[in-house]
Structures are given as structure tokens and as C-alpha cells.
Amino acid sequence: MIPITIPLLGEEEARAAAEAIRSGWVAQGPRVKEFEEAVASFLGVEHALAVSSCTAALHLALVALDVGPGDEVIVPSLSFVATANAVRYVGATPVFADVDSRSYNLDPAALERLFSDHTRAVIPVHQLGCAADLDPILALAAQRGVAVVEDAACALGTTYHQALVGTRATISCFSFHPRKIITTGEGGMLTTDDGDLASRLRVLRSQGMSVPADVRHQAGRVVFEEYRELGYNYRLTDIQAAIGLEQMKRLPELLSRRRELARRYDELLHPLASVTPPVDPEPGSHAYQSYMVLLDEDLDREAVMQRMLELGVSTRRSVQAIHLEPLYLDEDRAPLPVTEQIFARGLMLPLYPQMVHEDQDRVVEALADATT
Ligand SMILES: *Cc1c(COP(=O)(O)O)cnc(C)c1O
């Protein structure tokens, strides 16, 4: 069976994790700091803060921006449910925006229509590793004094106008879940250039403690902590950070491998009339966390997926349309026709760094069989 994805973890990651355990720093410690520095330096941002997941990162970002009950946060509906859940965690209301039909990302024109007096933040998602159109989104938000939080869960290494994403919003959030570009098992990262926000996020990450435990242990004098605001346990462990550091060394190789496989899919899929490959808005910019094609409307997607499964190929349906999930059905909203189209027609094909060309050929053969 060709799986939908497998993260590339090797001996180096295993050795690094074992060393972290031997060193005794199994909780948040020096390797977390090194991992944060590695990500900050890769992205060219002032501050990076490791957290237990991207969901935790999105939640903390909204807490740190003081978003709460009565506030609205504009999000694309075509996303993983965590994007909207984070808004609900702080008691605010997600306002669902439609997406662009080719990039699958927040449509700036749709966004513009949704601002209200209650809008406090916008969360553009770089869906599946494809950059959202940040220039108009940042400009519209700035005109209204609204914060932007980038959901870059799938987009470590994605570029927009030749610059890495996750560097321009007030706060950006990354994921290290096994299905993302690099993994720490579970994990996430917050990035920002704002020093005050970074300090507040650091405190919120660790129970609201004024002086974190690792700093107290290394202080060389007695230090007591204080709790001034409601915090969370969203820390990453040193064991996970040790794995993350090894993964960061592989990042250039992981990205180039994904991009090469995606280009090869583009070519192989060209003859299939009822399958539309994804777009890369600026060639070489897409990180291809997933490779999602659109099937023609007259094809039965479930039947295509079932046939491919019988031929030994795992696929997944499109990213969710969050507004159609039972949890969100009662939200008031504008129509979201593009989101619903993509949700109905999207099909994710297997893509992972160690995938070999023969497996890719088998995927395309199975797709051709299932769609003709
Ligand atoms: C995976 C994902 C998340 C959640 O990341 P976790 O690290 O699993 O919490 C959030 N947003 C998007 C767009 C994602 O793809």
C-alpha cells in the first residue's frame, strides 16, 4: 500500500532524542532554546517560541492579542478545524471567508466584505504549503487596525514574493505534526518580531509563571515565580526539540524533494483530462505539504478513492470546509461557493520525501484507472 504520507525520520533523530534523555533535560530546557534559534534564524525573525502544537500556538496568539468574547476573527472556512477552534477557545466568533479557486487560500476580495466594527484579527492560512496572497490581506487589515496571525502550519519554507512566509504578520504559527514539513511528533512554533508580544507569549506558554522553571533552575540563586495572568501548559519538551533540531538540518533537502515530486506529478497528470493539478503561484514557492488535485464535477470522488485504495494507493479527501462541520453549522455566514466546490472535488495524492518515482507512477496509473 502506498501511504498518503510518512515523515522522514532517521538515525540522527533517534540519537538526538536519546542524548536529550541522557542529559536529564526531558522537560523544556536548552534544546528547546536551540530549536527556537534554528527556526528564528531560518526564517529571519526576531523571536521564535516552541509550543506543544500549532493549535496551542494559534490559541496563545489570540490570547496575547487580547481577542475575546464579542470579538470577530476572519478565517477561511477551507482549513483544518484547528484554525477556527482557536477562535472559539478565546470566546470570539470565527467569521468564515471564501477562498480563491486556484490557490485554495483566503480571497482578499471576500475578506474585504467581512470586516465589521467587531473584527479584531484575520487568520490567513497558507493552505497545504501554498502562500496566501499576503500583500492585500496585510494592507486591508492595517487600514482597519486589525491584527494578522498567519496560520503557517503547513508552510515552513513556503515563499511569497521571494520571502519566507511566517515573517510578516503580527504573529505566525507553525506545526510539527507528522503530516507537516518537519516533525517533532507533536509540536508547534510561534514567531514574531515584537519583543513585548514574545515576552507575554513566553509567560502564557508556561502557566503564566513570571520566571520559567528552566530559568530558575539555572539562576544560581533563589528565585520565586509569580502568577499574574491565566496561562497554559503549552511547552515543548527537550526530547521533541532534539528531534526538531535534526529535522531542521534536513529542511532544505525535504523541501527540494517535495518540490521535485510535485513538479513530476504536474507533468504526469497533464494527460488526465478530468484532473486539475494544484497551482504554484510563483514557481518554486509552494512547500507541497500536500498535493491536492481537483476532480471534475461529474466524477464520484468517493468511488475514485475506493478504486485507488483497491489498487493499493491511499488518498485523502480535500481539506475541510469548517462551516459544514456539525460544530460550526449554526454560525451566521455569507455563502461560500468556492470553498464548497473545492471541498467536494479535492483529492490529496500521496507525497512524502522518501517517495520513489515508481510509487509515484503507480499513483498516477491508479488515478488514471479510477477516473476514466
Ligand atoms: C495541522 C494544522 C493545524 C494544527 O496543527 P497541530 O500542530 O496539529 O495542532 C492548524 N492549521 C492548519 C492549517 C493545519 O494544517
Side-chain angles (χ1 to χ4, degrees), residues 345-358:
R345 295 170 47 203
L347 178 73
M348 294 193 203
L349 302 182
L351 181 70
Y352 45 92
Q354 61 277 63
M355 190 173 202
V356 294
H357 287 177
E358 296 85 87

Side-chain angles (χ1 to χ4, degrees), residues 68-132:
D71 294 336
E72 292 176 355
V73 178
I74 304 174
V75 300
S77 169
L78 192 79
S79 187
F80 185 55
V81 71
T83 312
N85 284 354
V87 178
R88 286 259 183 109
Y89 293 163
V90 297
T93 303
V95 174
F96 294 116
D98 214 350
V99 292
D100 173 74
S101 62
R102 297 304 288 123
S103 71
Y104 318 145
N105 278 321
L106 187 60
D107 174 1
L111 168 67
E112 187 164 20
R113 291 190 290 273
L114 294 173
F115 284 101
S116 80
D117 292 344
H118 302 287
T119 310
R120 289 293 315 283
V122 179
I123 309 183
V125 180
H126 304 297
Q127 199 52 258
L128 311 179
C130 180

Side-chain angles (χ1 to χ4, degrees), residues 112-327:
E112 187 164 20
R113 291 190 290 273
L114 294 173
F115 284 101
S116 80
D117 292 344
H118 302 287
T119 310
R120 289 293 315 283
V122 179
I123 309 183
V125 180
H126 304 297
Q127 199 52 258
L128 311 179
C130 180
D133 194 3
L134 283 175
D135 278 347
I137 295 170
L138 290 165
L140 288 167
Q143 276 163 23
R144 289 160 178 84
V146 164
V148 176
V149 175
E150 284 176 68
D151 181 340
C154 306
L156 186 65
T158 296
T159 60
Y160 175 78
H161 296 181
Q162 275 83 49
L164 289 160
V165 303
T167 57
R168 290 182 58 196
T170 318
I171 303 177
S172 301
C173 304
F174 293 89
S175 173
F176 309 128
H177 180 272
R179 281 198 62 175
K180 308 303 160 96
I181 305 291
I182 67 162
T183 188
T184 59
E186 296 276 0
M189 192 74 74
L190 285 149
T191 59
T192 181
D193 284 331
D194 183 323
D196 293 337
L197 270 179
S199 306
R200 179 140 181 242
L201 288 165
R202 239 175 260 289
V203 170
L204 286 166
R205 164 176 72 180
S206 200
Q207 312 284 16
M209 230 179 257
S210 59
V211 187
D214 58 320
V215 174
R216 280 185 282 125
H217 293 323
Q218 292 173 91
R221 64 188 170 84
V222 176
V223 179
F224 295 119
E225 77 283 19
E226 239 180 11
Y227 300 86
R228 298 180 195 126
E229 76 172 313
L230 185 65
Y232 304 84
N233 175 0
Y234 280 166
R235 294 180 300 266
L236 192 76
T237 65
D238 250 35
I239 304 172
Q240 291 166 303
I243 295 170
L245 276 164
E246 290 303 319
Q247 288 271 285
M248 280 305 286
K249 293 181 196 163
R250 292 186 196 269
L251 179 58
E253 165 207 342
L254 292 170
L255 286 167
S256 64
R257 188 72 189 138
R258 283 181 173 280
R259 286 171 175 148
E260 192 235 309
L261 289 165
R263 270 196 306 276
R264 195 160 179 275
Y265 263 141
D266 291 345
E267 285 162 24
L268 294 171
L269 294 177
H270 198 68
L272 303 192
S274 52
V275 176
T276 308
V279 289
D280 185 355
E282 302 163 26
S285 68
H286 203 309
Y288 292 105
Q289 176 268 336
S290 290
Y291 188 91
M292 185 166 90
V293 301
L294 295 182
L295 299 181
D296 271 8
E297 256 165 289
D298 54 348
L299 284 170
D300 175 348
R301 181 180 56 187
E302 197 177 329
V304 170
M305 291 176 73
Q306 184 60 41
R307 177 68 188 144
M308 290 182 77
L309 197 58
E310 284 157 17
L311 294 169
V313 177
S314 280
T315 57
R316 293 288 180 275
R317 67 172 186 181
S318 161
V319 204
Q320 282 155 288
I322 301 174
H323 72 282
L324 298 179
E325 291 299 326
L327 179 63

